[in-house]
Amino acid sequence: MGRIRSRLLEWYDAHLQDFPWRTARDPYAALVAAVAAQQTQMSRVLPTYERWMTAFPTLRAAAEADRAAVLRAWGRAGYPRRAVALHETARRCVAQHDGRLPADLDALLALPGVGPFTAAIVLCFGYGIDAPAVDTNIVRVIGRVVFGDLQPAAETPRGAIDAAAARLLRPGTAARWNPALMDYGARVCTPRPKCGECVVASLCAARPRFAAGAVAEPVRAQGRFDGSDRQWRGRLLRVLREADGPLRLGALLKAADVPAEEKPRVRALLGTLCADGLAWSDGGWCGLGSEAQAPAPRRPAR
DNA sequence: AATACGGGGGG
DNA sequence: CCCCCAGTATT
């Protein structure tokens, strides 16, 4: 174990990527980066992070923002419900935690959009607390090196991976060890691994299998995106985000280029956006965010 | 345990 | 065209 640790740390020191949230010791910055990183390649995280932090430099600023502004800052980063969760988490921190992120695992996990990974990132980067942040990269690296898996998610149970991650973490090093392991999985121990460049190949339990030419099977099959609900939701939201203000329903469907036969379905999807706090719809008008904006005609006031 | 949830990078 | 991504919430 010790040799694996030292070699990976040595690799990390030579390939260090200096993301601002890694060294800022700012729990809010860590939170924003962690949420932006959920199911998203790092190359796309930095721009989202910069936009968000420029628009809402502090937890309180995020809490006081309106939903439409939050969604515009999120832009095309994907999974916009993450922006809603971030917004709501900021509000709860102000309402219930004295305007700060809790430094406690269970309290963090109680916040919307915060799961085991995000909570661990807040703890280790934000507070310097030792918490193993086990992302998909780390699952793969530990699965292979420790357990000899080709494609860990399909072989070794997650609980065993987590236990190994906790065992590998030396006290006081989480803020360096977590990103070292994550980066290694992203750059070397990739889904199709670069075993020729691997600094722990001689210690890797999976080495014989890969050396024999075994190929890792795809982790999770993915449905078609074209024509999916997800694509339509994304298109609607994009139109709403880029609009100056409220739109007629008909104008929304037209701008989103919805064919006649898809209109009932896409109208229903607008309903799901509203349910998610991403859009509102009222009296034939609709818009970005959670509440009808001024230009929309109000119902007769009593 | 299985699905839903965006959008784009990279082979 | 296909795989995958610093996951989380819901069913």
Side-chain angles (χ1 to χ4, degrees), chain A residues 71 237 240 270 273-281 286-291:
Chain A
L71 292 171
L237 205 55
L240 294 175
L270 175 61
L273 291 178
C274 295
D276 287 341
L278 295 164
W280 58 267
S281 173
C286 60
L288 186 66
S290 49
E291 289 182 348

Side-chain angles (χ1 to χ4, degrees), chain A residues 129-147:
Chain A
I129 293 172
D130 281 313
V134 184
D135 74 330
T136 186
N137 290 303
I138 295 187
V139 170
R140 196 171 50 241
V141 174
I142 291 179
R144 285 173 176 165
V145 176
V146 177
F147 296 100

Side-chain angles (χ1 to χ4, degrees), chain A residues 9 30 87 90 97 140 153 157 180 219 223 249 272 297:
Chain A
L9 284 173
H87 192 202
H97 297 290
R140 196 171 50 241
V219 178
L249 251 35
T272 69

